[in-house]
Amino acid sequence: MRTVNEKRVLQRLARVEGQIRGLQRMVEEGQPCSEILTQIAAARAALAGIATMIFEVYSKNCIEQAVNREEGCSEALEDMLRSLSRLLK
């Protein structure tokens, strides 16, 4: 993750952390389920955005490594595809 702007990722994660704390408060206060579900959807979308940002950089690095060396090329691409599969689940 060295090439991903770590500061941006950490800021986004802090925002998600705040959203989760807000969700806890909403449940404790007995807020309507529809509002809680809306906030859960927002937190999931924020996490998906972070994952996408990280995966984009990771996949570029992985492809560059595969192109720059013949040996280990398939392993690097398989690793990238496994990561994509986890991201999409």
Side-chain angles (χ1 to χ4, degrees):
M1 198 164 93
R2 291 180 197 147
T3 55
V4 174
N5 185 334
E6 288 183 34
K7 185 176 180 179
R8 278 183 53 210
V9 169
L10 292 172
Q11 287 172 336
R12 287 181 176 207
L13 286 171
R15 255 186 258 138
V16 171
E17 181 182 19
Q19 286 177 303
I20 300 303
R21 286 191 182 134
L23 277 164
Q24 289 171 328
R25 273 192 307 278
M26 290 176 79
V27 170
E28 290 169 352
E29 295 170 359
Q31 295 291 321
C33 291
S34 61
E35 292 180 23
I36 293 170
L37 292 172
T38 298
Q39 291 306 312
I40 289 172
R44 287 179 66 186
L47 282 172
I50 295 166
T52 300
M53 186 171 59
I54 292 170
F55 182 77
E56 285 175 357
V57 172
Y58 172 69
S59 62
K60 287 176 187 173
N61 290 340
C62 193
I63 291 169
E64 285 175 8
Q65 287 178 5
V67 168
N68 290 332
R69 59 184 171 122
E70 291 178 28
E71 200 173 303
C73 177
S74 63
E75 291 87 5
L77 291 175
E78 285 175 21
D79 186 43
M80 182 189 71
L81 292 174
R82 278 191 299 275
S83 294
L84 178 61
S85 176
R86 284 191 299 271
L87 179 62
L88 297 175
K89 286 185 180 179

